Amino acid sequence: MNADYFPPTPVHSVDYTSMAETAPANQWNPYTPSRVTLHLGHLPSKKDIKAPCHAHPHGSVDPNNPPWPAYRGYHEYSFAHATMGVRLPTILGKAIDDASRTLNEQSAEDKIVDLVECLERMDALMADLSGNAKLRPIVDDGEGDVALWNKEIAKYFQGKDFMNAPWLFAEAYKYRRLHECFSVSKYWHDYDVFYRQKCDTFSRSTDAVFELSMRFAEPFKQSENMSDKEKAESERLMFLELTQVCLWGNSTDLSLLINMTEEQIKSLQSTGGDHLAATEKNILGNHLNQLWETVKVLREKTGGRIDFVLDNAGFELYCDFVYADFLIQTGLAKQIRFHGKRYPWFVSDVTRKDWDWLLNTMVYGHLFPKASEVERESLRRLGARWKQYEKDGRWQYEQHPFWCTGYTFWDLHSEAPDLFLHLSRADLVYFKGDLNHRKLTYDCAAPASVPFDIAIGPMASAAGAPKICSLRTIKSDVVVGLGETMKEEPGWKISGKYAVVLLSEGRPGEKVRFA
């Protein structure tokens, strides 16, 4: 059964109830079963039983048939419809403008001709997106994800188009097709149409960048005059505040902030203590205290490892680094693994190039001409320390092909068992941002009261599933783990004003088993 968010009304429908009611009483009615009345006075009384939140009452789950009804682009008045019909064409149009600008900067004819062909493929993608074309297989461009993409298309999306495939898959497919526009070229295989935007947004984050660098340039130290109890409480409070910094750094999502002013960006990126205290009330699903209880025991382990499945480049990655630095310095983690994307993805997702650019810009760059020398030095010291973490192996950047597929993380165990096994060896895995949360929860219309560990399926229930924390500012329709908490204000699910910090205990320590 194909579970749609708004089930279409059949053109030729039969109202069996009406037919049964209008048939003459003395006429045999095939729609009315004969009835026998039973008296049940001696049976146990009916009990008030609360049904469990079982996913998918209709049977098996697959990419076109999620555990709850899918969001699809043809659902008018939905964020999926607005994204597929307006946001994605707008983003693609800006990408075409970027490639055209690069074209105009070239002098070598062979590179110019090669980039013109990339632009022609982008125009064809725009036509497919605007014309709601059927989803064709991905061209074999040598990427490690081609087989995964084409297997999923062939098995679940034959004949589907951009609007009637589930929104998450159709959106991911568009970014994979965009990469294909360049990956089959001779000279532009690694070209990032979003790179300028990512760099520019960080350069306009001056206030927030130096707010943090001036606080954390020097290695973290507790006052010697504090008691052990006071030190423990100070560390707990700092952990909670930095977790919020890491959470709200996600506000800078370029795919949603296409026309935002510099003042609006500053407001979103405010990291002052008063601002964080005010924003904690907007964390609707709040497992911050449980998260601290989980993390603080890692110091007692011989090799505590924490992984981050990254989201946005620029300021959010900078906040992730500040947080990871604190975890290393305090001994809450011995090693941090960062998981990024192999190529440009959903506008602002982190690639290896974004990682290198940020660290090198901090140490060597001149990105903030109005900054004081003291501020620049604080940024240089931070960058130098973080680069040293990378050199000595305490920080590692990784980029598995699975992160750039159309599969949700419910399928990670079966489609990328090597990656699942790798994550299972972490003591805690942070999944950053809205897209990762959508993939954890299958991006479908689950009730907001469904517990997080139910909503993420095998990522909580499979043997060896790691402990998971989702740090997400809410920017799309899927919302789970809220219990009875619900907001009434219009647009609250897409405003980025609210957030969740949700924890799943998983099944760590159990031997991973694959079918």
Side-chain angles (χ1 to χ4, degrees):
M1 176 177 178
N2 180 21
D4 279 341
Y5 186 37
F6 301 114
T9 302
V11 177
H12 301 291
S13 60
V14 180
D15 188 347
Y16 292 102
T17 303
S18 176
M19 292 175 67
E21 290 173 348
T22 56
N26 62 349
Q27 179 180 326
W28 175 75
N29 182 357
Y31 305 104
T32 305
S34 59
R35 298 186 180 185
V36 177
T37 301
L38 296 176
H39 298 281
L40 307 178
H42 297 289
L43 298 185
S45 62
K46 293 180 180 179
K47 303 298 190 297
D48 183 15
I49 299 173
K50 189 171 184 180
C53 298
H54 287 309
H56 209 281
H58 308 298
S60 63
V61 171
D62 66 54
N64 194 40
N65 200 29
W68 286 275
Y71 299 112
R72 300 177 193 265
Y74 69 79
H75 298 149
E76 294 188 20
Y77 311 111
S78 70
F79 193 50
H81 185 76
T83 296
M84 298 306 298
V86 179
R87 284 180 57 235
L88 289 192
T90 300
I91 290 167
L92 181 55
K94 286 184 175 289
I96 292 172
D97 291 344
D98 178 272
S100 298
R101 176 179 169 183
T102 299
L103 178 71
N104 294 334
E105 295 168 349
Q106 303 308 306
S107 58
E109 184 178 9
D110 53 348
K111 287 190 173 183
I112 290 172
V113 171
D114 199 30
L115 188 51
V116 166
E117 291 174 354
C118 295
L119 280 160
E120 289 171 351
R121 288 188 285 271
M122 294 175 80
D123 289 337
L125 175 57
M126 180 67 89
D128 284 354
L129 185 60
S130 303
N132 193 29
K134 287 183 168 47
L135 309 181
R136 63 157 175 80
I138 299 298
V139 171
D140 189 352
D141 54 6
E143 288 287 356
D145 59 12
V146 174
L148 283 170
W149 271 105
N150 289 339
K151 171 186 172 182
E152 192 172 12
I153 292 169
K155 194 170 182 179
Y156 304 110
F157 299 111
Q158 288 271 11
K160 291 290 184 182
D161 55 45
F162 279 95
M163 283 299 196
N164 66 20
W167 169 34
L168 178 61
F169 181 84
E171 191 173 10
Y173 174 83
K174 173 259 179 181
Y175 284 100
R176 182 59 180 88
R177 283 277 306 274
L178 178 58
H179 176 60
E180 182 189 286
C181 293
F182 296 92
S183 62
V184 296
S185 69
K186 182 177 180 181
Y187 296 106
W188 304 96
H189 182 275
D190 297 320
Y191 186 72
D192 185 350
V193 292
F194 308 120
Y195 185 64
R196 283 192 182 97
Q197 285 179 264
K198 288 183 277 191
C199 298
D200 181 60
T201 302
F202 185 71
S203 72
R204 291 188 288 144
S205 306
T206 309
D207 292 350
V209 167
F210 291 118
E211 173 78 27
L212 291 172
S213 69
M214 292 293 289
R215 293 174 183 269
F216 294 102
E218 294 300 318
F220 172 69
K221 289 182 181 179
Q222 294 272 31
S223 171
E224 294 180 1
N225 298 324
M226 298 170 67
S227 68
D228 289 345
K229 185 176 180 181
E230 289 172 330
K231 288 179 180 179
E233 178 62 7
S234 172
E235 187 177 85
R236 183 185 74 86
L237 293 174
M238 186 173 291
F239 173 83
L240 295 177
E241 285 209 1
L242 283 176
T243 303
Q244 275 211 70
V245 168
C246 192
L247 168 68
W248 294 109
N250 174 247
S251 295
T252 311
D253 181 339
L254 295 180
S255 72
L256 295 169
L257 309 185
I258 292 173
N259 297 310
M260 186 160 278
T261 67
E262 189 166 347
E263 287 304 312
Q264 289 170 317
I265 289 174
K266 286 180 181 179
S267 175
L268 278 175
Q269 293 176 337
S270 176
T271 55
D274 292 342
H275 177 79
L276 291 178
T279 56
E280 187 170 356
K281 70 180 186 297
N282 291 340
I283 303 176
L284 304 183
N286 189 344
H287 292 174
L288 275 170
N289 289 323
Q290 296 97 307
L291 179 63
W292 167 246
E293 293 301 319
T294 297
V295 171
K296 73 177 184 180
V297 302
L298 297 184
R299 183 161 38 207
E300 301 163 12
K301 297 191 175 186
T302 54
R305 171 185 147 194
I306 292 178
D307 285 27
F308 284 79
V309 181
L310 297 170
D311 188 33
N312 295 321
F315 183 70
E316 183 180 348
L317 180 60
Y318 176 76
C319 291
D320 296 340
F321 283 169
V322 170
Y323 191 40
D325 189 4
F326 174 79
L327 295 175
I328 290 287
Q329 288 193 53
T330 55
L332 294 169
K334 299 284 195 304
Q335 185 182 63
I336 310 279
R337 303 281 182 104
F338 297 89
H339 301 268
K341 306 300 191 300
R342 292 170 64 86
Y343 48 78
W345 189 249
F346 280 69
V347 182
S348 48
D349 280 31
V350 177
T351 65
R352 179 78 214 200
K353 183 177 180 180
D354 299 322
W355 168 287
D356 290 337
W357 177 84
L358 178 58
L359 291 176
N360 288 323
T361 292
M362 290 174 66
V363 176
Y364 305 111
H366 295 80
L367 199 62
F368 304 103
K370 295 182 180 178
S372 68
E373 184 53 37
V374 172
E375 289 173 326
R376 289 197 193 96
E377 179 60 22
S378 71
L379 204 57
R380 283 193 288 267
R381 291 188 185 187
L382 263 188
R385 186 163 73 240
W386 297 347
K387 285 172 75 69
Q388 186 58 45
Y389 289 157
E390 187 177 22
K391 288 178 182 176
D392 63 29
R394 284 183 284 178
W395 284 10
Q396 294 184 29
Y397 179 88
E398 302 175 359
Q399 47 185 23
H400 194 282
F402 181 83
W403 302 123
C404 290
T405 67
Y407 282 106
T408 73
F409 300 156
W410 279 51
D411 294 308
L412 198 157
H413 179 273
S414 58
E415 300 300 332
D418 59 323
L419 178 58
F420 184 88
L421 181 62
H422 183 49
L423 294 176
S424 75
R425 291 169 177 155
D427 294 293
L428 175 68
V429 182
Y430 285 102
F431 283 83
K432 291 295 308 296
D434 198 68
L435 175 60
N436 283 325
H437 191 88
R438 289 170 64 193
K439 287 202 164 195
L440 278 170
T441 59
Y442 229 117
D443 195 43
C444 52
S449 59
V450 171
F452 180 59
D453 58 353
I454 297 295
I456 66 176
M459 291 300 288
S461 62
K467 292 183 179 183
I468 285 173
C469 179
S470 177
L471 296 179
R472 176 221 187 184
T473 51
I474 302 170
K475 300 173 186 173
S476 61
D477 292 311
V478 60
V479 179
V480 298
L482 299 193
E484 302 304 317
T485 305
M486 281 293 286
K487 302 301 295 183
E488 301 263 330
E489 65 188 76
W492 71 273
K493 289 183 178 181
I494 61 174
S495 65
K497 177 181 176 181
Y498 298 99
V500 293
V501 178
L502 297 173
L503 187 66
S504 166
E505 292 296 331
R507 295 173 64 183
E510 294 187 28
K511 185 177 180 180
V512 178
R513 294 180 176 87
F514 300 109

